[in-house]
Amino acid sequence: MPYKDNLPTAKEIQAVIRNIKYTIGNNIRKEYENSGEYTKSGIKYPNLPNRSSAPYESPSKQSGNLHSKIDVELYNGGVMVGSDVKYLKYLELGTRKMKPRNGLEIAYKKIDITKIIDNILVKVFR
C-alpha cells in the first residue's frame, strides 16, 4: 500500500495497526519458543531431559508441549500472547512454593517494539 499523493483511509490505517499488533505478538511468541533452548541454571532432575529453569528465568523446554502451544490473538484492541496449557499461569506467576519463571515477560522485554513498528511503517508508506 504505497502512499505518495493520497492519504490512507481509516480502514487502511486500522489494518496497519492490526498488522503491527499481530507482528509484535508473533515476535514475543517466537522469542518465547526459542527461550526454552537457552542454557538454564536450575536443578538437573534425573527424570527430565534438560536442566530446569531457575526463578525468573524463562521456563526450560522439557517436553516441548508448552513452548509449541503459545498462541497470538488480537483481543479487545490489544494483542494477547498465551496458551491454554494449564501450567503456564503457574510458571509465569509462581505459586506459594515456587517463584515465577516469567518467560512471556522476558520475551516481551527482549523484542524491539520500536524497530518492528518502524519496519512496518517504512514498508507501508514508502
Side-chain angles (χ1 to χ4, degrees):
M1 294 185 285
Y3 303 103
K4 295 191 179 185
D5 299 325
N6 301 330
L7 293 174
T9 66
K11 258 188 176 175
E12 291 168 328
I13 291 171
Q14 288 172 343
V16 170
I17 291 170
R18 275 193 309 275
N19 185 12
I20 289 170
K21 289 176 184 178
Y22 184 78
T23 303
I24 289 169
N26 203 38
N27 276 263
I28 293 169
R29 180 191 59 78
K30 286 178 190 173
E31 180 59 40
Y32 188 88
E33 286 177 357
N34 294 333
S35 72
E37 303 294 333
Y38 303 154
T39 303
K40 305 300 177 186
S41 60
I43 298 169
K44 173 60 178 115
Y45 294 100
N47 59 331
L48 294 175
N50 298 310
R51 182 172 290 280
S52 294
S53 53
Y56 308 106
E57 288 182 339
S58 57
S60 179
K61 191 180 284 188
Q62 300 297 350
S63 68
N65 182 51
L66 174 63
H67 290 81
S68 68
K69 292 187 177 176
I70 299 295
D71 296 318
V72 177
E73 291 182 32
L74 296 179
Y75 181 76
N76 284 348
V79 64
M80 185 170 57
V81 182
S83 177
D84 61 358
V85 175
K86 300 225 182 282
Y87 56 89
L88 175 63
K89 70 179 176 182
Y90 302 116
L91 288 168
E92 285 295 313
L93 303 174
T95 66
R96 287 184 307 123
K97 296 181 178 184
M98 181 187 83
K99 292 190 188 295
R101 274 68 173 164
N102 47 338
L104 289 172
E105 179 182 348
I106 293 167
Y108 170 76
K109 289 178 178 178
K110 281 191 173 189
I111 66 167
D112 187 347
I113 292 175
T114 304
K115 185 176 179 181
I116 292 169
I117 294 169
D118 286 348
N119 287 341
I120 291 172
L121 291 178
V122 163
K123 287 176 188 172
V124 169
F125 293 106
R126 63 184 140 140

